[in-house]
């Protein structure tokens, strides 16, 4: 990331380690100051000065360090990728873990010509699309104290012409597409373990090394030529491990330790044997990093935690032999090594020591906001482990210490994740003051990303924030459990289903799983695992009344577990390549007018399922930056309820953003006087009918579950479901007609643009539903991106109309 993150001190720039200052957040009518101090946290006030004017850097360049070792056996791959990158805008390198994707991407970033305006290399593991977009902005523009709104961020990114390299881009297809659209003139080259389904992506699979390249690699690691008797052994071993460079490095380590090259029969036990031959200090290092669920630590952390001055050199040696992974900012442990070392120790590295060391590091004056952002996953893991091991107060203290600097890094989704983990730890520790701190920070964060209005439009602010923090905590826990589950990942080539993870857009997605009846024999449902370091899963809180629940991704189940205990993903297998897709289904009552979430892409015991993702509840759902969704709950007191219209103006509490009474009254399009009320009525009807369709989903899925389990023998009837879908289509027809007429009458170009955005999204959703209605058994529809676009346009319309 850019070195310019931070906030100004009295002289206009932040001092290293200083966490007091002001950062401008937002755009146009929503510009505000985010004031942050280590003692009291963050507050938002109206910005009194002009909007910052980001200046594009004359030379945009952020490249990885040059590799210490030459790239062996990849000349043909480099040539193919160079040709693809020079002729295409979206290029993916995909393949199995350890095959060398990151090394190849670093080589390309360092050796290829830059884009017309420069190049940017970003380690994307664990980051959301919004945080990656902010990182691109920070690299490209000189605006050290400014976090633009998403709309303004898009305006700046779309004009860039960069060559952007993203390593370990674990985003789902929707977020990848959204990120690519933000920087539409830039070239993206990205790596991931599964082939992307995004339109326009040229995907190149990276295979293992050839036998000759494997022999060259092993010889280089041994620092000698292979003997004649060793060459055929390396050839056979290369074939046995599919030429995987990471595993070949371990084979070379076996020979280097004096035991000679292993036989093929020795490969299953090679890793434990190698660990037993390591020096105690090397095993201690693996034990520490293996306890972090794939998160990385920098050499400074390793030195502090292990009490040694040379852990960087130890780690480099273990990287050379395939036992650790190195990034630009630290080291992490591969899942299989983590599993092996923890099985040998029968315990994890003490969470209290981890928290104390990281807290001291965070509070050090020379630790910058960028440093903290680079290690947000390690902070999450440390806080979660502290909560689970009886040291919740230490975990809450770490999160509280890190929160100001993480906020100043402008990686707001990473900040939100830490707030959720910290809040849960404070709650477990009975730390009421800590709970209030994280609640205040969550409120400030919502205001800073322009979601204060949705807080009051849902339910009482305190309850929404409480749910939001619970969801954020659940995501951190789910991510850690998923990483832990990944260590037993069996190899497979079946692409996974990624959960829907929209960010910062008012979208409430639900899906209908529609079953067909096969003639084949029943099969047991499989389980779905979450990809390691992928964007965090959607959490459904629609059933929570007193205690939030998190949807457990178990096959064909309606299971949920309360938080703060971690999500039970013990049935999950590969974080890399799950073999079949599971459904996580939750529902709501139709009488509430709120929708629930149902995971699409399931495989039932008695039928393959196609899917329809029902339209989002427009203007109601508050979406968290890390992919969580907060849903409105039934309110026993009707006086607490507010209209479901996305165009209503809520009664703002004292905590909402103050208004600038000195600002001139803006001139608005006369159409605004009528169009908002008309659209309000029609979207309210749409939301009501979508809730009725949600009840049909509940009934249909319940019947299908009974049928799949053998409790009933009658195939469920989908006629009611399809009738409700037809009603939703009718609602969209009405919206389309109103929007078309409004576009023809609009006088202000901004209002017309907003209405056209809503019209396009409405027409696209309508087309999707009609396709499903015409052929439900062979259709799979997910209009979440269209609903997101419609909500974004409606937000803009309210702003342009002065609402």
């Amino acid at each position: 990331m850019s070195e310019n993150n931070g906030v100004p001190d009295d002289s206009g720039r932040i001092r290293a380690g200083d966490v007091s200052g002001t950062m401008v957040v937002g755009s146009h009518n929503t510009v505000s100051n985010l004031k942050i101090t280590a003692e009291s946290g963050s507050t938002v006030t109206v910005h009194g000065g002009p909007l910052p004017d980001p200046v594009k850097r004359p030379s945009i360049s952020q490249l990885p360090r040059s590799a210490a070792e030459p790239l062996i056996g990849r000349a043909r791959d480099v040539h193919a990728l160079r040709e693809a990158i020079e002729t295409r805008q979206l290029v993916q390198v995909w393949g199995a873990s350890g095959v060398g994707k990151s090394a190849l991407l670093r080589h390309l970033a360092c050796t290829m010509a830059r884009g017309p305006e420069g190049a940017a290399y970003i380690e994307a593991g664990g980051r959301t699309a919004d945080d990656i977009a902010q990182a691109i902005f920070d690299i490209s523009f000189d605006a050290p104290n400014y976090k633009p709104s998403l709309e303004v961020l898009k305006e700046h990114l779309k004009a860039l012409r960069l060559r952007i390299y993203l390593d370990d881009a674990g985003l789902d297809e929707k977020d990848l597409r959204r990120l690519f659209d933000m920087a539409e003139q830039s070239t993206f080259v990205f790596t991931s373990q599964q082939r992307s389904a995004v339109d326009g992506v040229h995907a190149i699979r990276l295979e293992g090394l050839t036998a000759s390249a494997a022999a060259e690699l092993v010889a280089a690691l041994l620092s000698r030529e292979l003997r004649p008797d060793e060459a055929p052994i390396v050839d056979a071993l290369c074939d046995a491990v599919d030429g995987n460079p990471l595993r070949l490095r371990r084979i070379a380590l076996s020979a280097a330790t004096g035991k000679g090259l292993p036989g093929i029969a020795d490969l299953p036990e090679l890793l434990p044997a190698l660990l037993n031959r390591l020096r105690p200090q090397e095993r201690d290092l693996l034990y520490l990093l293996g306890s972090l669920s794939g998160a990385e630590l920098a050499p400074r952390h390793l030195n502090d935690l292990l009490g040694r001055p040379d852990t960087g050199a130890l780690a480099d040696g273990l990287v050379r032999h395939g036992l650790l992974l190195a990034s630009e900012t630290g080291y992490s442990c591969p899942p299989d090594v983590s599993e092996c070392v923890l099985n040998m120790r029968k315990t994890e590295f003490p969470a209290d020591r981890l928290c104390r060391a990281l807290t001291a590091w965070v509070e050090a004056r020379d630790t910058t906001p960028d440093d903290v952002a680079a290690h947000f996953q390690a902070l999450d893991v440390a806080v979660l482990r502290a909560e689970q091991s009886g040291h919740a107060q230490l975990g809450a203290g770490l999160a509280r210490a890190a929160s100001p600097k993480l906020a100043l890094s402008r990686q707001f989704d990473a900040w939100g994740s830490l707030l959720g983990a910290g809040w849960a730890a404070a709650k477990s520790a009975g730390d009421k003051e800590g709970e209030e701190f994280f609640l205040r920070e969550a409120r400030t964060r919502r205001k800073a990303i322009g979601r204060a209005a949705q807080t009051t439009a849902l339910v009482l602010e305190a309850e929404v924030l409480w749910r939001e923090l619970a969801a954020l905590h659940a995501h951190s826990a789910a991510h850690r459990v998923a990483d832990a589950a990944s260590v037993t990942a069996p190899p497979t080539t079946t692409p996974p289903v990624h959960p829907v993870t929209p960010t910062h857009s008012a979208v409430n997605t639900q899906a209908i799983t529609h079953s067909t009846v096969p003639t084949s024999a029943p099969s047991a449902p499989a389980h779905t695992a979450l990809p390691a370091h992928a964007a965090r899963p959607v959490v459904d809180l629609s059933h929570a009344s007193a205690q939030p629940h998190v949807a457990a991704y178990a096959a064909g189940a309606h299971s949920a577990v309360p938080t703060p205990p971690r999500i039970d993903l013990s049935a999950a297998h590969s974080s890399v390549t799950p073999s079949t897709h599971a459904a996580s289904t939750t529902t709501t009552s139709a009488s509430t007018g709120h929708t629930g979430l149902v995971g699409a892409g399931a495989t039932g015991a008695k039928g393959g399922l196609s899917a329809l993702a029902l339209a989002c509840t427009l203007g109601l759902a508050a979406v968290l930056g890390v992919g969580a969704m907060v849903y409105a709950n039934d309110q026993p007191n009707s006086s607490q309820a507010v209209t479901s219209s996305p165009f209503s103006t809520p009664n703002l509490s004292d905590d909402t953003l103050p208004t600038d009474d000195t600002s001139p009254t803006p001139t608005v399009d006369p159409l605004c006087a009528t169009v908002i009320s008309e659209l309000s009525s029609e979207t309210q009807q749409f939301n009501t009918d979508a809730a009725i369709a949600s009840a049909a989903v509940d009934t249909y899925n319940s019947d299908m579950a009974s049928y799949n389990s053998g409790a009933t023998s009658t195939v469920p009837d989908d006629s009611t479901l399809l009738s409700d879908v037809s009603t939703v289509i009718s609602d969209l027809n009405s919206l389309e007609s109103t929007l078309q007429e409004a576009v023809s009458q609009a006088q202000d170009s901004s209002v017309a643009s907003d209405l056209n955005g809503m019209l396009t999204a409405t027409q696209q959703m309508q087309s999707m539903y009609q396709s499903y209605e015409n052929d439900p058994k062979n259709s799979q529809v997910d209009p979440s991106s269209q609903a997101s676009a419609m909500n974004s346009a409606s937000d803009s319309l309210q702003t342009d109309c002065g609402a």
Side-chain angles (χ1 to χ4, degrees), residues 605-616:
K606 296 189 178 182
L609 305 180
S610 59
L612 165 65
L614 269 184
C616 308

Side-chain angles (χ1 to χ4, degrees), residues 761-775:
T762 299
Q763 290 171 334
Q764 291 173 347
M765 285 193 292
Q766 182 187 49
S767 176
M768 289 180 180
Y769 290 123
Q770 287 172 339
S771 297
Y772 178 85
E773 186 182 38
N774 294 333
D775 188 13

Side-chain angles (χ1 to χ4, degrees), residues 65-101:
R65 297 189 303 270
S66 296
E69 299 178 353
L71 199 63
I72 294 176
R74 293 302 186 189
R76 181 177 299 179
D77 298 305
V78 168
H79 178 73
L81 279 162
R82 282 180 177 274
E83 286 190 339
I85 294 168
E86 289 170 354
T87 58
R88 298 175 182 269
Q89 193 173 1
L90 305 174
V91 179
Q92 180 197 26
V93 183
W94 69 283
S97 175
V99 78
K101 302 182 296 295

Side-chain angles (χ1 to χ4, degrees), residues 149-350:
S149 68
L150 280 179
E151 292 74 15
V152 174
L153 185 62
K154 293 175 187 176
E155 291 178 9
H156 288 295
L157 297 189
K158 72 181 181 181
L160 294 174
R161 293 179 298 156
L162 302 176
R163 188 162 283 166
I164 300 171
Y165 300 89
L166 299 179
D167 191 21
D168 191 19
L171 303 174
D172 67 18
E173 308 305 338
K174 297 180 185 64
D175 278 349
L176 273 176
R177 188 180 297 109
R178 191 162 62 85
L179 180 62
F180 297 156
D181 289 344
M182 285 189 200
E184 58 187 15
Q185 295 192 66
S186 293
T187 295
F188 283 87
V189 188
F190 65 103
T191 68
S192 54
Q193 292 190 20
Q194 299 298 326
R195 180 169 184 164
S196 173
V198 174
D199 293 340
V201 170
H202 182 68
I204 297 178
R205 181 172 186 175
L206 188 62
E207 305 285 357
L209 298 177
T210 63
S212 60
E216 183 181 354
L217 174 62
V218 173
L221 293 169
L222 293 175
S223 300
R224 62 173 176 80
E225 294 292 330
L226 293 180
R227 299 191 304 269
D229 63 310
E230 291 176 324
I233 298 176
V234 171
D235 193 356
L237 289 169
C238 176
D239 184 63
V241 300
D242 296 322
N244 187 291
L246 194 71
R247 299 187 68 185
L248 287 169
R249 288 179 177 275
R250 298 171 186 174
I251 287 170
L253 175 60
S254 177
T257 56
K259 296 293 183 179
L261 291 169
I264 293 178
D266 300 323
L267 289 178
E269 298 302 321
L270 177 61
L271 186 54
L274 291 177
L275 297 183
N276 282 325
R277 296 175 204 163
L278 294 178
R279 292 174 293 170
Q281 59 266 37
E282 292 173 321
R283 288 198 295 268
D284 288 344
L285 179 55
L286 291 178
Y287 169 55
L288 167 58
L289 290 172
S291 301
L292 293 179
S293 304
E296 68 180 29
L297 292 176
R300 173 176 176 175
H301 306 140
L302 303 176
N303 289 341
D304 291 345
L305 285 161
L306 297 178
R308 300 183 60 89
D310 60 347
T311 53
L314 290 176
D316 286 336
L318 294 172
V319 169
R320 178 177 170 81
H321 291 295
L323 298 177
L324 284 181
L325 303 175
S327 74
E328 295 298 293
T329 54
Y331 302 93
S332 62
C333 194
D336 58 343
V337 178
S338 174
E339 178 189 35
C340 189
V341 72
L342 293 182
N343 282 341
M344 294 173 67
R345 292 289 181 109
K346 305 301 182 183
T347 183
E348 291 184 309
F349 191 88

Side-chain angles (χ1 to χ4, degrees), residues 449-659:
I449 61 177
R451 294 300 168 195
Q454 276 73 21
T455 298
T456 52
L458 278 168
V459 284
L460 293 179
E461 183 187 47
E463 181 178 351
V464 173
L465 290 169
W466 186 86
R467 290 180 172 201
E468 176 169 322
L469 286 165
L472 289 165
H473 167 58
H475 288 153
S476 299
H479 181 62
R480 177 173 182 254
V481 175
D483 282 349
S486 72
V487 297
T488 57
T492 173
T493 58
T494 306
V497 165
H498 296 288
V500 180
T501 55
T503 55
H504 296 340
S505 54
V507 175
N508 185 353
T509 306
Q510 68 178 25
I512 295 174
T513 54
H514 190 99
S515 177
T516 58
V517 182
T519 57
S520 59
S523 60
H527 302 288
T528 296
L530 303 176
H533 302 309
R536 294 171 175 82
V538 171
V539 173
D540 175 30
L541 302 178
S542 55
H543 280 186
S545 52
Q547 177 77 3
H549 288 70
V550 180
Y553 283 76
H558 298 257
S559 59
V561 292
T563 56
R566 70 183 187 183
I567 297 175
D568 180 11
L569 294 179
S570 58
H573 297 299
S574 171
S575 68
V576 178
T577 48
S579 58
T580 4
H581 304 153
S584 176
T585 307
T586 53
T587 54
T588 57
S589 169
S591 62
T592 68
H594 306 306
T595 56
L597 175 82
V598 178
T603 300
K606 296 189 178 182
L609 305 180
S610 59
L612 165 65
L614 269 184
C616 308
T617 300
L618 303 178
L620 280 182
V623 182
L624 309 184
V626 294
M629 281 186 173
V630 177
Y631 294 79
N633 185 35
D634 295 348
Q635 296 302 307
N637 184 349
S638 60
S639 66
Q640 296 176 357
V642 295
T643 176
S644 62
S645 167
F647 304 101
S648 60
T649 304
N651 294 322
L652 302 181
S653 68
D654 292 338
D655 286 328
T656 57
L657 292 174
T659 58

Side-chain angles (χ1 to χ4, degrees), residues 355 359 362 379-380 382-383 392-406 415 417-423 425-426 437-438 441:
C355 282
T359 300
V362 163
L379 297 174
D380 276 359
V383 175
Q393 191 63 60
L394 288 175
L398 171 59
R400 185 162 182 172
S403 176
K405 288 184 178 179
L406 196 49
W415 182 29
S417 178
L418 183 71
L419 291 179
W423 171 83
F437 173 86
F438 293 113
E441 294 299 272

